[in-house]
Amino acid sequence: MITYNPKDWWKLIFAFHRSDSFRVLLPGMIGLALYTALIAYIENDYLHVTFKNTTMVHSLVGFVLSMMLIFRTNTAYDRWWEGRKLWGSFVNNSRNLALKLQAFLPAEAREERAMFRDLIGNFIYAAKEHLRQGVKTEKLVETGSYTADWYAKGGHVPNQVLKGLYTEINRLYMNQTITGDHLIVINAELQSFADNLGACERIKRTPIPYAYSLFLKKIIFIYVFTMPIGFVLDYKYWAVPVVTFVFYAFAAIEVIAEEIEDPFGLEANDLPLDAITDTIRGNVRDILEG
């Protein structure tokens, strides 16, 4: 995720980065500009076309298209923001679980604290990678009997790590290291881990309906590539920058929406999951080792 100062107008106006919509759409904008110039030459200099009121239909359709794009970008942002709230919940649940374990475990239980420190960190890391390209279990911290091979057993690595957390909590209860009341209090944080991950998977695996995305792209294409036919009569060769700008304005909204509707990836506008994971691991380590 890119960090920036939203009040620095001039820097933002002239800033470009790898996933910037202008950079992504530049080839299409150049092609459309050449296409519009060709239409302008054919209609104005070759055929001398004189029909009028050719922009009215595009004005009406443009309003409808704008409403559709507003819905599109709002839907994508809602998914992005929900993902951010879920990972904020991961931060809070990790801290709460670590604080409760620190308070409930006896002072001499250093090995148990170290194991929970590693298991909590492993779950957060596994959840992050699970939402991306899959978890490489060799990158998880091995602790006690929980090795890379053990983590890989279940297929769904975050669930396997969470299983280890539940197993260790139950062992503490069976050994009477914690009471039944402690178990109930701790269970709320563990359940929230599973609930948050399930909600993230719902966002990841449920994109915008295919028919809606397909229809919107077709409408943008038809709208933009029929614009020059009418606009070159009123604007002559000035229609080239006008049509190109309209294409950029409409298509850029769709490109941005496509990027942020899956907020768990590695693109510039995705959530900073690596930084959040590091924050959680640092907080849990400070609490359980303090």
Side-chain angles (χ1 to χ4, degrees):
M1 182 177 179
I2 297 175
T3 56
Y4 67 99
N5 179 10
K7 298 180 180 179
D8 194 348
W9 278 61
W10 292 108
K11 184 176 180 180
L12 293 175
I13 289 171
F14 296 104
F16 294 95
H17 57 87
R18 182 172 54 85
S19 66
D20 185 80
S21 56
F22 182 85
R23 188 188 298 272
V24 172
L25 295 171
L26 185 58
M29 293 167 63
I30 294 174
L32 182 61
L34 295 174
Y35 166 74
T36 305
L38 177 62
I39 296 294
Y41 170 76
I42 293 174
E43 290 193 10
N44 293 317
D45 299 337
Y46 186 73
L47 297 178
H48 303 288
V49 177
T50 58
F51 55 82
K52 300 297 182 181
N53 295 326
T54 55
T55 62
M56 185 177 298
V57 173
H58 281 86
S59 299
L60 295 174
V61 175
F63 174 76
V64 176
L65 182 57
S66 298
M67 295 299 100
M68 294 175 64
L69 287 171
I70 289 172
F71 172 77
R72 174 75 171 99
T73 191
N74 284 347
T75 301
Y77 182 77
D78 285 344
R79 293 162 60 90
W80 187 92
W81 184 240
E82 184 182 2
R84 182 61 187 89
K85 289 192 293 184
L86 289 168
W87 274 83
S89 181
F90 273 134
V91 174
N92 296 336
N93 295 140
S94 300
R95 290 171 179 168
N96 288 333
L97 178 57
L99 287 167
K100 290 172 183 178
L101 289 170
Q102 172 66 15
F104 297 159
L105 291 174
E108 63 273 10
R110 296 182 180 273
E111 291 184 3
E112 286 80 0
R113 284 188 173 86
M115 178 173 292
F116 282 113
R117 175 201 64 202
D118 295 336
L119 286 174
I120 294 172
N122 282 345
F123 173 77
I124 298 300
Y125 176 83
K128 177 194 68 171
E129 293 301 314
H130 173 70
L131 295 171
R132 290 179 173 175
Q133 301 299 322
V135 187
K136 296 180 179 178
T137 55
E138 63 271 15
K139 292 189 175 182
L140 298 175
V141 178
E142 296 189 353
T143 178
S145 61
Y146 303 110
T147 62
D149 291 337
W150 186 88
Y151 289 129
K153 279 183 183 178
H156 192 290
V157 180
N159 276 351
Q160 189 73 358
V161 180
L162 197 57
K163 180 173 144 183
L165 275 167
Y166 270 107
T167 299
E168 293 305 317
I169 292 294
N170 184 65
R171 182 176 291 117
L172 292 177
Y173 174 69
M174 297 302 293
N175 294 338
Q176 298 185 341
T177 305
I178 61 174
T179 66
D181 291 337
H182 292 161
L183 182 64
I184 293 173
V185 171
I186 291 174
N187 180 67
E189 310 302 341
L190 296 178
Q191 182 177 344
S192 183
F193 277 162
D195 292 342
N196 289 342
L197 181 58
C200 289
E201 289 175 336
R202 168 174 51 81
I203 296 173
K204 176 76 176 179
R205 297 174 182 174
T206 313
I208 188 170
Y210 174 74
Y212 185 89
S213 180
L214 185 67
F215 176 75
L216 188 56
K217 287 177 171 61
K218 285 182 177 180
I219 289 297
I220 292 175
F221 178 84
I222 295 171
Y223 179 84
V224 171
F225 277 83
T226 56
M227 277 187 70
I229 297 173
F231 275 60
V232 296
L233 296 177
D234 292 332
Y235 298 105
K236 308 301 180 184
Y237 284 96
W238 284 105
V240 173
V242 171
V243 173
T244 303
F245 177 77
V246 171
F247 168 71
Y248 171 69
F250 283 163
I253 295 175
E254 174 66 9
V255 169
I256 293 170
E258 288 174 352
E259 183 175 343
I260 67 173
E261 71 178 352
D262 179 8
F264 308 119
L266 296 169
E267 295 177 315
N269 291 309
D270 288 333
L271 296 173
L273 299 189
D274 292 327
I276 295 174
T277 299
D278 292 340
T279 297
I280 292 174
R281 281 178 157 173
N283 290 162
V284 171
R285 181 179 61 252
D286 292 342
I287 292 170
L288 291 176
E289 292 181 358

